[in-house]
């Protein structure tokens, strides 16, 4: 049995109205849960989204309580599993893990993680599809690590490992995503010494196990959900307010939509999007934070299919993130894949229904969006990959007036 979503399209009518709440950020809580392995005592977690990847991380943690091993069949299901390798290695002096799974977005190697661990004194052995890492004398050594390019989970994993290492670790060309600074702030309140998050150079002074002493980690709002809902609203909303979000984290998207002609009003923790008279096309290039996030490029392609004129999307982070383009073209979008990193979208074009299989988490959300724009009812299978990152998305979209239902087949 697997779940599918049936979506009745609005044939381009701008009918959605009301408020939609943003949940806790997947890519924040997963790393915070992994950081539990740095603590002597239990950490409490608040605003936790009930999504599949969170369940998987909790399963990994339960298993790793007795032995520093990432259980293969679980770790192979999501990329963030590898983040737990850092704290386990730092705490126990050894860790065993398989090549991590996750969305298929082209090559997703782990060389930056392995090179970072080696710089911290670790010996790497690869046997039977598993990596076994050991620190001599059971302790990591602080190191000066310069990333050849920016990696979000690479930065997080080494930052976490460094909190229990001997001496200072410097991470250069580090990722600046807000979830990293938010986690560091919490860890610092529990005894860690991390400086420089939000800049390209992070310094970590290693020390003993952390203590929460009853303090709770509150998951920050998911900026990709925020952006996805804003795009929904721009395409199909009369007036929609996205609540419980952090507007400062979606600045690049807000600027793009505003220039395209979408009326947007920002308050402290909510964003109201009103129906534009006309939406002009634009070009966009994905970039590490604070640039335009790669996780919003599939939804933005659907938006461009409905905007007037020609726009391009350049994907600079991943090699294989346009796998959705053919399906959108079959629905009627005018999309040309110029090369593996660039597509051209001409609009507006009316879309018609199609049964689709969600290829990955973010493209899956884009398929719901395309189905909602189209004429007729579409069925989107492989709902699991959407559930990996969006908690009961259908219930929240129903509240705005979209006819979307979950079915078991
Ligand atoms: N890379 C390497 N070697 C490495 C690590 C990364 O070559 O050892 C490459 C990747 O293949 C990619 C680039 O470096 O081409 C940047 O990837 P990064 O490591 O930053 O991505 P990630 O940490 O695997 C996280 C998010 C992704 C998000 C990217 C980019 C998590 C769990 N995942 O992935 O989120 O797209 O950063 O912002 O935090 C999603 O939520 O749907 C998702 C895919």
């Amino acid at each position: 049995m697997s779940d599918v979503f049936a979506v009745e399209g609005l044939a381009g009518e701008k009918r959605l109205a009301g408020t939609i709440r943003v949940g806790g950020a997947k890519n924040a809580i997963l790393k915070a849960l992994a950081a539990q392995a740095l603590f002597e005592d239990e950490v409490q977690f608040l605003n936790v989204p009930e999504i599949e990847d969170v369940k998987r991380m909790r399963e990994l943690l339960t298993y790793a309580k007795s032995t520093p091993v990432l259980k293969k069949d679980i770790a192979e299901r999501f990329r963030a599993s590898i983040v737990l390798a850092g704290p386990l290695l730092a705490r126990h002096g050894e860790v065993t893990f398989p090549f991590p799974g996750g969305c298929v977005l082209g090559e997703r190697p782990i060389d930056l993680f392995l090179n970072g661990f080696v710089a911290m004194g670790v010996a790497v052995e690869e046997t039977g599809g598993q990596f076994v890492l050991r620190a001599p004398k059971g302790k990591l050594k602080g190191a000066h690590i310069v990333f050849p390019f920016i990696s979000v989970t690479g930065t997080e994993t080494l930052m976490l490992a460094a909190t229990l290492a001997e001496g200072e670790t410097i991470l250069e060309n580090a990722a600046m995503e807000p979830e990293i600074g938010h986690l560091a702030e919490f860890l610092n309140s529990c005894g860690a010494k991390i400086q420089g998050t939000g800049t390209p150079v992070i310094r970590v002074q290693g020390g003993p196990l952390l203590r929460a002493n009853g303090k709770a980690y509150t998951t920050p709002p998911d900026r990709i959900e925020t952006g996805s809902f804003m795009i929904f609203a721009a395409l199909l909303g009369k007036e929609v307010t996205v609540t419980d979000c952090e507007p400062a984290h979606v600045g690049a998207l807000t600027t793009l939509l505003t220039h395209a002609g979408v009326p947007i009003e920002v308050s402290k923790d909510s964003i109201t999007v009103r129906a534009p008279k006309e939406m002009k096309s634009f070009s966009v290039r994905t970039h590490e934070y604070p640039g335009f996030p790669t996780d919003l490029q599939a939804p933005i392609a659907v938006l461009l299919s409905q905007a007037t004129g020609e726009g391009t999307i350049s994907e600079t982070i991943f090699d294989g993130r346009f796998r959705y383009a053919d399906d959108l073209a079959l629905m009627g979008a005018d999309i040309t894949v110029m090369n593996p990193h660039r597509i051209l979208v001409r609009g507006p074009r009316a879309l018609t229904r199609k049964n689709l299989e969600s290829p990955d988490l973010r493209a899956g959300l884009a398929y719901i969006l395309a189905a909602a724009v189209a004429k007729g009812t579409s069925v989107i299978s492989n709902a699991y990959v959407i559930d990996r990152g969006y908690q009961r998305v259908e219930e929240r979209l129903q509240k705005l007036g979209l006819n979307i239902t979950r079915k078991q087949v």
Side-chain angles (χ1 to χ4, degrees), residues 26-28 30-31 53 78-81 83 103 105-114 149-156 175 177 223-224 287-289 293-295 316-319 321 360-362 388:
K26 165 177 91 81
N27 289 343
L30 290 173
K31 322 324 168 34
D53 278 14
F78 69 120
R79 173 83 179 177
S81 62
V83 179
C103 290
L105 311 172
E107 285 269 313
R108 295 182 84 181
I110 59 164
D111 51 321
L112 299 185
F113 299 79
L114 296 178
F149 47 88
I150 297 171
S151 164
V152 176
T153 42
T155 300
E156 293 164 329
E177 270 59 11
R223 62 196 160 84
I224 304 303
H287 195 281
E288 292 84 6
Y289 189 85
T294 171
D295 291 341
T316 71
I317 315 277
F318 291 110
D319 288 332
R321 222 171 187 186
D360 64 73
L361 166 58
R362 308 300 174 186
R388 284 188 47 200

Side-chain angles (χ1 to χ4, degrees), residues 133-313:
L133 274 51
R134 280 193 194 90
K137 300 192 203 110
K139 199 82 185 138
L140 293 178
K141 289 198 309 271
H144 186 162
I145 296 163
V146 184
F147 291 105
F149 47 88
I150 297 171
S151 164
V152 176
T153 42
T155 300
E156 293 164 329
T157 305
L158 297 179
M159 178 180 94
L160 294 180
T163 60
L164 300 186
E166 253 164 31
E168 187 183 45
T169 297
I170 301 175
L171 303 175
E172 257 189 78
N173 200 20
M176 301 194 288
E177 270 59 11
E179 295 79 20
I180 303 175
H182 183 267
L183 177 56
E185 220 172 274
F186 175 72
L187 298 178
N188 284 347
S189 76
C190 301
K193 295 196 177 69
I194 304 170
Q195 282 179 348
T197 53
T199 81
V201 184
I202 298 178
R203 286 168 193 273
V204 186
Q205 200 66 50
L209 287 175
L210 308 182
R211 281 199 65 86
N213 288 326
K215 272 195 282 300
Y217 169 90
T218 303
T219 316
D222 195 310
R223 62 196 160 84
I224 304 303
E225 263 198 17
T226 306
S228 305
F229 296 157
M230 287 168 72
I231 296 171
F232 252 97
L235 276 173
L236 294 163
K238 258 199 313 231
E239 180 174 321
V240 170
T241 300
V242 182
T243 68
D244 301 86
C245 63
E246 175 50 84
H249 292 170
V250 287
L253 174 67
T254 303
T255 305
L256 283 171
L257 292 181
T258 303
H259 285 163
V262 180
I264 296 181
E265 207 179 296
V266 171
S267 81
K268 191 170 154 286
D269 62 358
S270 71
I271 300 172
T272 299
V273 180
R274 296 195 177 82
K277 287 203 182 65
E278 193 194 19
M279 206 160 43
K280 292 188 295 288
S281 195
F282 52 85
S283 289
V284 59
R285 165 181 291 268
T286 64
H287 195 281
E288 292 84 6
Y289 189 85
F292 183 82
T294 171
D295 291 341
L296 286 179
Q297 69 97 337
I300 215 72
V302 179
L303 183 125
L304 289 182
S305 77
Q306 303 306 303
T308 305
E310 231 179 61
T312 58
I313 300 180

